[in-house]
Amino acid sequence: MTRKLALVTGASAGIGEAFARRLAAEGCDLVLSARRVDRLEALARDLRSTLGVDALVAPADLSRADGSQALLGQVRAAGRAVDILINNAGYGLPGAFLNTAWADQQALLQLMAVSPCELAHGLAPAMAERGYGRIVNVASLAGLVPGVAGHTLYAAIKSLLIKFSESLHLELRRSGVHVTALCPGFTYSEFHDVNGMRARITAGTPRWAWMRAEPVALAGWRAVEANRPICVPGLVNQALAAASRLVPETLAMQIMASQGHRYREV
Ligand SMILES: NC(=O)c1ccc[n+]([C@@H]2O[C@H](COP(=O)([O-])OP(=O)(O)OC[C@H]3O[C@@H](n4cnc5c(N)ncnc54)[C@H](OP(=O)(O)O)[C@@H]3O)[C@@H](O)[C@H]2O)c1
């Protein structure tokens, strides 16, 4: 039997790498995408030798307007259909909206909003035609709770991904294509090193609030297999998501405003 093919964006680190390892362990072949080719090649070698799967390295900068089409072109050239799409690549952009250059905000939107939609748009039709597909959009708990000042577009982009996932989930519900928004909270990865917030975040959040990337990816995979539109991994994150629905919005906003300085830079 031919193995399923999974495309993982942001596979060079953190949650994306954990997804790649999980899907390889499930017997899938991989297309590994990100910008750091050395990391992707090392991961591909490891997956081939330890798990016997095929792993193709497909470098792409998804913050560029032509990034997604370049990635889809590499997948087409490989001559295989993608069965599983993990839209994961992302980073945070610290600072106030007005003090952040528009080019940087545009790149963020392109990477974390436009590219995931474009990749889903490019790959889902063939999935639906074949009657099988899995799409995980890695969003965030930040997309489910009230916004805070600073990193201003981040939560908004993640909310977009959550709504997009819910709607696409319904649109494709009779097609065999499952769509899930995965909404992690604080997760050990390179995310807070890349955006320079490690020291502040570590000081501002207790250890019990954190999860490792592996259980986050596993929860996302189980949720999309079960065809659940939204997955919040971990009891702490689930409690926070539930609390933000139960508490009146104005009070939730006040709480977030008073706590925001712990993990947001304005
Ligand atoms: N860590 C958390 O606390 C947390 C919480 C909630 C949600 N999330 C979400 O989880 C996802 C994964 O983040 P992570 O925590 O695993 O962070 P990470 O360890 O920093 O990994 C981010 C990945 O995205 C890739 N990436 C960044 N910019 C890219 C670009 N322009 N083009 C292509 N790929 C790019 C990086 O690869 P290259 O640098 O090699 O390109 C890397 O593989 C993100 O969408 C993030 O918003 C994270």
Side-chain angles (χ1 to χ4, degrees):
M1 204 179 77
T2 43
R3 288 190 289 257
K4 302 273 189 237
L5 182 65
L7 166 58
V8 182
T9 72
S12 62
I15 297 170
E17 180 181 340
F19 258 113
R21 291 188 182 282
R22 164 54 37 201
L23 291 166
E26 300 284 336
C28 298
D29 290 336
L30 272 304
V31 178
L32 305 171
S33 188
R35 295 165 302 177
R36 285 171 292 177
V37 179
D38 53 338
R39 292 270 196 113
L40 297 177
E41 278 172 352
L43 177 60
R45 274 196 302 276
D46 188 25
L47 297 180
R48 284 184 207 116
S49 66
T50 56
L51 295 162
V53 298
D54 284 344
L56 171 77
V57 169
D61 183 346
L62 297 176
S63 68
R64 288 173 51 107
D66 58 359
S68 299
Q69 291 306 321
L71 175 54
L72 291 172
Q74 293 183 71
V75 172
R76 269 195 303 277
R80 282 189 60 185
V82 171
D83 303 290
I84 299 160
L85 168 64
I86 311 293
N87 272 320
N88 163 78
Y91 56 81
L93 194 54
F97 184 65
L98 300 192
N99 294 339
T100 306
W102 178 246
D104 294 338
Q105 316 223 38
Q106 194 168 25
L108 192 79
L109 283 161
Q110 186 72 39
L111 174 67
M112 298 206 299
V114 178
S115 285
C117 299
E118 194 171 353
L119 291 174
H121 189 263
L123 296 172
M127 291 179 183
E129 221 166 84
R130 292 194 306 280
Y132 178 92
R134 302 286 183 266
I135 299 174
V136 177
N137 294 315
V138 180
S140 171
L141 190 58
L144 290 171
V145 301
V148 290
H151 307 218
T152 313
L153 278 176
Y154 183 82
I157 288 170
K158 295 305 193 180
S159 293
L160 178 149
L161 269 190
I162 293 165
K163 284 291 168 219
F164 169 60
S165 303
E166 285 178 335
S167 296
L168 195 62
H169 168 91
L170 290 174
E171 198 173 309
L172 295 173
R173 70 185 182 282
R174 290 194 190 88
S175 69
V177 182
H178 300 181
V179 183
T180 296
L182 173 62
C183 303
F186 293 118
T187 306
Y188 292 116
S189 71
E190 295 177 9
F191 185 88
H192 298 103
D193 304 309
V194 173
N195 70 14
M197 294 291 291
R198 170 71 58 203
R200 183 186 303 202
I201 297 269
T202 307
T205 52
R207 287 174 72 114
W208 50 258
W210 289 80
M211 285 182 75
R212 288 180 302 108
E214 293 75 15
V216 169
L218 178 61
W221 177 241
R222 286 187 174 152
V224 77
E225 281 289 80
N227 206 9
R228 284 166 34 215
I230 298 186
C231 168
V232 179
L235 288 176
V236 171
N237 296 327
Q238 286 161 15
L240 288 170
S244 82
R245 282 195 302 272
L246 295 174
V247 171
E249 200 173 332
T250 44
L251 178 58
M253 280 191 78
Q254 279 169 17
I255 295 169
M256 292 298 283
S258 71
Q259 298 303 312
H261 65 280
R262 293 175 186 274
Y263 51 93
R264 288 285 192 269
E265 183 181 301
V266 186

